[in-house]
């Protein structure tokens, strides 16, 4: 299938290691894809859903012990431990290769190896990079066909170059004790074994487009970030782009597709990306971004016609649903938070009979849809633009029941990097482990930074010096709660009210008050026309509680202490300055 010597040599080596019965190249054709779906259905790996209501849609269930990313089984294997840093699991490459080679040995015996050449980023773009994933999972192939650009065209783009990321995945027996998601950034290599779930196995996504790519970006002077990209069109028809980093299951897909509230007529949001942004400095001195992905791997629960109608519309055809509820009445799907009443009965995410009142979740909290971006009703006209889009504002945010106000603006780039570096958020079901625990998650990259995070902060600071017209940096929190545990801000479409303030600040057209943590809007600076919110509540959302913030500073210090002398001086400076302002 190829004359590329580097590809052939690597492929031969991996075939010798895993000994598949058959090797099938993925060409990207519709016929091959349909044949694979048909085989998956025949094997019971996928359930074909109602062709009338959900054409081209399928349901897949993973093993109950394999439903989220596994951060404690994820490794960055650089030759020096300090290059992986204190926030990543590390093992010496030679030791890890030996361990993995044992696990992969004969792992595809009796199975088919699929060879998936894929491109991250638009065709013909200076941003784009190529990977080849070898996998024995049809589920992976069919998801990669949606999430990335795959097939023969990619091999043509690669030509005889050896510049591709080598990705090997084997399902084995999904044994959690021997599950490994391993990155060798110095070798452009990723190896994943004993999982068959999403981010652990769709190696173009978090593994390549964030962990490996962040390492590349550090070396090559660009940025790979866990960010959505959206274009906000105002009533005059002008579009401005923002990129926003929120941790997993904290609202990127929702913000990227938001529908403006009725009172704000004439605004429109265009989606460029919902999870990952690759950003470079453009010739005009601004920061430009592309979405390297071609689809959305979105959280299903909570998605409804009220919260995210655009996501829902995107999933109405050609979509793979993973670990959602199977409504056997009409052979469709359901999840908690979807419109209307729950179905009376059906099959839950574990494949067990379920009734409305049995007290169990029908869909797993991290159940997902995989849908082609091109099907999104609000997909941006710039989605395939090889040059990307110019970014006016960068927004950081997380789930904070307390502490963080609705929105604030950093004083400048350096302070903005500090704001990103001190991000914290409550954990969610997107990763295995406890949910709802506040943890520090700088730039929403703690699970995804492919090198020492102290060097990552330094890279951000360095980029700021190199961008003649850098975006302004903001922080938002849609998840503040009152004493009864209710969300104080309506969120979703109404988040546009905050985006509008942000873009007005970028244009120098909005007021703010200077506080210890940055510039905050006055309550009167946020347009609440048509919104049923107490003035008091809005005031509370826009107040800085110095005592609570000083407690947070202690948490920041504790986190930064991990990095020892590697922590950039500018971050230490900002920390001392913040503490000084709060203590006054
Ligand atoms: P990943 O795909 O894991 O990276 O997640 P994400 O950041 O794209 O999160 P997503 O938009 O899928 O939202 C996750 C959950 O948060 C869903 O259940 C949403 O309904 C909920 N959510 C999103 N935006 C808001 C908001 O503004 N307010 C509230 N209260 N919930 C929100
Ligand atoms: C996330 O967890 O941030 C996701 C889903 O976007 S996964 O692809 O599993 O990483
Ligand atoms: Mn994500």
């Amino acid at each position: 299938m190829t004359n590329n010597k580097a590809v052939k040599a690597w492929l031969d080596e991996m075939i010798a290691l895993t000994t598949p019965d058959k090797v099938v190249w993925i060409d990207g054709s519709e016929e091959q894809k349909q044949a694979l779906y048909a085989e998956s259905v025949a094997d019971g790996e996928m359930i074909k859903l109602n062709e009338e209501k959900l054409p081209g849609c399928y349901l897949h269930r993973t093993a109950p012990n394999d439903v989220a990313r596994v951060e404690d089984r994820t490794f960055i294997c650089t030759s020096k431990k300090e290059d992986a840093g204190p926030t990543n699991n590390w093992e010496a490459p030679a030791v890890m290769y030996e361990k993995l080679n044992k696990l992969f040995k004969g792992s595809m015996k009796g199975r088919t190896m699929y060879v998936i050449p894929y491109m991250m980023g638009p065709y013909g773009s200076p941003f784009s990079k190529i990977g080849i994933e070898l996998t024995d999972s049809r589920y992976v192939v069919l998801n990669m066909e949606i999430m990335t650009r795959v097939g023969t065209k990619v091999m043509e783009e690669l030509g005889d170059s050896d510049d591709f990321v080598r990705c090997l995945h084997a399902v084995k027996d999904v044994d959690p004790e021997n599950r490994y998601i391993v990155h060798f950034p110095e070798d452009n290599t990723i190896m994943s074994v004993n999982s068959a779930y999403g981010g652990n196995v769709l190696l173009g996504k978090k593994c390549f487009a964030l962990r490996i790519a962040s390492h590349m970006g550090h070396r090559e002077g660009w940025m790979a970030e866990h960010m959505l990209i959206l274009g906000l069109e105002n009533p005059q028809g002008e579009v401005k782009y923002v990129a926003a980093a929120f941790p997993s299951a904290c609202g990127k897909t929702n913000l990227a597709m938001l529908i403006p509230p009725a009172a704000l007529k004439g605004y429109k949001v265009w989606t460029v990306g919902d999870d990952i942004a690759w950003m470079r400095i453009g010739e005009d001195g601004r920061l430009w971004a592309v979405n390297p992905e071609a689809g959305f791997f979105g959280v299903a629960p909570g998605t409804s016609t009220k919260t995210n109608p655009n996501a829902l519309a995107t999933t109405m055809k050609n979509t793979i649903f993973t670990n959602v509820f199977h409504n056997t009445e009409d052979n469709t799907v359901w999840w908690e938070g979807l419109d209307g009443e729950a179905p009376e009965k059906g099959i839950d995410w574990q494949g067990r009979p379920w009734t409305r009142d049995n007290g169990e979740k029908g869909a797993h909290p991290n159940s997902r849809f995989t849908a082609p971006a091109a099907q999104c009703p609000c997909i941006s006209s710039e989605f395939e633009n090889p040059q990307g889009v110019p970014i006016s504002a960068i927004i950081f945010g997380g789930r904070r029941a307390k502490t963080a106000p609705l929105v604030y603006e950093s004083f400048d780039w350096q302070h903005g990097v500090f704001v990103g570096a001190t991000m914290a958020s409550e954990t969610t079901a997107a990763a295995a482990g406890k949910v709802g625990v506040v943890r520090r998650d700088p730039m929403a990259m703690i699970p995804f930074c492919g090198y020492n995070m102290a060097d990552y902060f330094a890279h951000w600071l360095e980029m700021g010096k190199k961008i003649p017209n850098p975006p302004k940096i903001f922080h938002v929190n849609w998840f503040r709660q009152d004493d009864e545990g209710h969300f104080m801000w309506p969120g979703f479409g109404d988040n546009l009210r905050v985006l509008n303030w942000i873009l007005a600040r970028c244009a120098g057209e909005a007021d703010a008050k200077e506080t210890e943590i940055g510039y905050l809007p006055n309550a009167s600076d946020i347009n609440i026309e048509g919104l049923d919110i107490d003035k008091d509540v809005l005031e509370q959302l826009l107040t800085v509680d110095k005592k609570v913030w000083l407690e947070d500073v202690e948490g920041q210090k504790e986190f930064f202490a991990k990095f020892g002398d590697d922590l950039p001086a500018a971050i230490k400076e900002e920390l001392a300055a913040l503490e000084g302002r709060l203590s006054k």
Side-chain angles (χ1 to χ4, degrees):
M1 274 295 289
T2 180
N3 291 321
N4 182 308
K5 288 209 184 80
V7 174
K8 269 175 138 171
W10 172 67
L11 185 56
D12 285 347
E13 203 186 315
M14 295 303 111
I15 291 172
L17 174 66
T18 59
T19 60
D21 279 16
K22 221 167 88 179
V23 176
V24 172
W25 279 78
I26 298 304
D27 59 18
S29 72
E30 193 57 31
E31 304 77 68
Q32 187 185 46
K33 188 164 78 182
Q34 291 312 328
L36 285 169
Y37 273 117
E39 284 172 30
S40 300
V41 171
D43 266 13
E45 209 178 303
M46 295 236 194
I47 295 166
K48 167 102 183 83
L49 296 167
N50 187 322
E51 182 62 22
E52 238 111 80
K53 293 189 173 169
L54 294 168
C57 291
Y58 296 82
L59 168 63
H60 173 81
R61 297 188 196 105
T62 63
N65 71 25
D66 188 28
V67 293
R69 285 183 291 101
V70 279
E71 295 179 5
D72 56 334
R73 315 288 316 170
T74 301
F75 287 77
I76 303 293
C77 297
T78 42
S79 27
K80 286 195 239 136
K81 185 169 198 271
E82 23 333 345
D83 290 345
T87 61
N88 282 311
N89 299 310
W90 176 88
E91 183 54 87
V95 175
M96 188 53 97
Y97 275 126
E98 199 185 312
K99 187 183 281 186
L100 290 175
N101 284 344
K102 279 196 194 118
L103 287 170
F104 276 101
K105 192 160 187 229
S107 58
M108 297 190 191
K109 196 161 186 296
R111 299 174 64 82
T112 300
M113 173 194 274
Y114 299 97
V115 183
I116 318 169
Y118 68 92
M119 168 96 96
M120 301 309 293
Y123 287 109
S125 165
F127 290 80
S128 296
K129 303 262 178 198
I130 288 172
I132 301 180
E133 177 161 354
L134 312 178
T135 177
D136 60 349
S137 160
R138 279 194 213 101
Y139 171 76
V140 167
V141 174
L142 293 166
N143 274 274
M144 287 291 284
E145 295 233 28
I146 299 173
M147 293 306 296
T148 70
R149 296 154 175 92
V150 306
T152 317
K153 190 163 170 198
V154 176
M155 287 310 287
E156 286 165 14
E157 293 262 337
L158 183 64
D160 53 16
S161 164
D162 68 351
D163 188 10
F164 64 97
V165 176
R166 291 138 176 84
C167 309
L168 179 66
H169 165 247
V171 175
K172 292 254 313 194
D173 27 47
V174 293
D175 169 14
E177 304 294 316
N178 281 300
R179 187 168 295 158
Y180 286 94
I181 320 297
V182 184
H183 309 72
F184 301 93
E186 293 156 3
D187 304 340
N188 276 348
T189 295
I190 303 164
M191 294 168 90
S192 162
V193 66
N194 273 311
S195 173
Y197 178 81
N200 296 335
V201 297
L202 310 179
L203 300 183
K205 196 174 177 55
K206 294 313 196 331
C207 298
F208 178 170
L210 288 179
R211 298 194 190 97
I212 296 287
S214 62
H215 196 277
M216 289 173 166
H218 183 221
R219 293 188 318 253
E220 298 168 5
W222 53 281
M223 308 165 92
E225 300 297 335
H226 192 199
M227 290 179 178
L228 69 93
I229 309 164
L230 69 81
L232 176 54
E233 183 174 330
N234 67 15
Q236 291 74 49
E238 297 153 347
V239 185
K240 292 264 195 283
Y241 296 91
V242 309
F246 310 153
S248 302
C250 290
K252 289 183 299 301
T253 302
N254 277 268
L255 188 67
M257 299 178 189
L258 83 69
I259 299 215
L264 300 188
K265 272 203 204 72
Y267 288 91
K268 177 116 184 65
V269 163
W270 300 104
T271 309
V272 181
D274 82 324
D275 199 49
I276 298 176
W278 283 0
M279 306 196 285
R280 286 172 182 269
I281 304 169
E283 276 165 22
D284 64 354
R286 291 187 291 176
L287 190 63
W288 290 69
V290 300
N291 169 13
E293 301 191 281
F296 307 128
F297 185 59
V299 177
T303 308
S304 72
T305 53
K306 278 204 201 71
T307 57
N308 196 349
N310 283 320
L312 210 55
T314 310
T315 63
M316 285 298 134
K317 56 182 186 190
N318 309 319
T319 293
I320 300 170
F321 295 94
T322 302
N323 296 338
V324 299
F325 176 83
H326 189 196
N327 186 348
T328 40
E329 284 296 297
D330 61 352
N331 193 24
T332 58
V333 290
W334 180 83
W335 47 78
E336 279 72 16
L338 187 59
D339 310 77
E341 222 185 351
E344 227 167 283
K345 57 181 183 350
I347 307 287
D348 76 2
W349 66 273
Q350 297 192 60
R352 304 174 308 188
W354 180 96
T355 52
R356 191 188 289 163
D357 41 21
N358 77 347
E360 305 250 355
K361 290 246 189 284
H364 187 274
N366 191 37
S367 55
R368 301 232 168 203
F369 53 79
T370 319
Q375 288 179 187
C376 181
C378 57
I379 194 73
S380 164
S381 58
E382 306 310 298
F383 174 65
E384 298 278 0
N385 189 332
Q387 302 309 320
V389 295
I391 300 298
S392 300
I394 287 176
I395 305 173
F396 295 121
R399 266 178 203 269
R400 295 299 295 272
K402 302 277 173 250
T403 320
L406 180 61
V407 58
Y408 63 102
E409 179 191 339
S410 62
F411 296 120
D412 52 31
W413 182 273
Q414 176 174 305
H415 178 238
V417 173
F418 173 75
V419 167
T422 52
M423 260 170 74
S425 193
E426 291 145 24
T427 51
T428 65
K434 237 180 135 178
V435 168
V437 189
V438 175
R439 73 158 172 184
R440 304 236 78 100
D441 188 355
M443 285 84 170
M445 282 290 278
I446 204 87
F448 307 120
C449 184
Y451 59 108
N452 191 324
M453 204 155 222
D455 298 334
Y456 171 81
F457 298 150
H459 182 50
W460 264 85
L461 293 162
E462 212 37 55
M463 286 297 292
K465 291 183 192 141
K466 288 189 198 147
I467 313 169
N469 283 306
K472 280 188 186 286
I473 302 180
F474 297 81
H475 187 283
V476 300
N477 179 21
W478 314 140
F479 299 94
R480 259 299 260 277
Q481 291 178 15
D482 61 19
D483 293 337
E484 277 83 56
H486 301 121
F487 290 122
M488 293 164 71
W489 177 248
F492 302 104
D494 287 307
N495 293 334
L496 177 69
R497 301 169 189 276
V498 174
L499 287 183
N500 272 347
W501 180 76
I502 287 175
L503 284 174
R505 285 295 291 173
C506 294
E509 291 164 359
D511 273 341
K513 58 186 178 211
E514 187 170 339
T515 75
E516 295 79 6
I517 63 167
Y519 299 111
L520 261 76
N522 303 290
S524 56
D525 296 323
I526 302 280
N527 180 349
I528 51 166
E529 192 190 330
L531 184 64
D532 184 20
I533 192 170
D534 246 44
K535 205 68 198 233
D536 273 9
V537 173
L538 188 58
E539 296 280 2
Q540 275 177 51
L541 283 167
L542 297 173
T543 346
V544 178
D545 182 334
K546 288 210 232 177
K547 194 171 144 273
V548 175
W549 270 88
L550 274 168
E551 284 165 25
D552 201 65
V553 165
E554 291 310 310
Q556 299 174 10
K557 281 186 195 163
E558 199 180 309
F559 176 73
F560 286 142
K562 290 186 187 188
F563 299 99
D565 292 341
D566 292 335
L567 191 71
I571 299 288
K572 290 180 205 157
E573 250 169 54
E574 290 292 339
L575 180 64
L578 173 64
E579 192 173 22
R581 291 191 299 268
L582 289 166
S583 311
K584 245 192 226 145

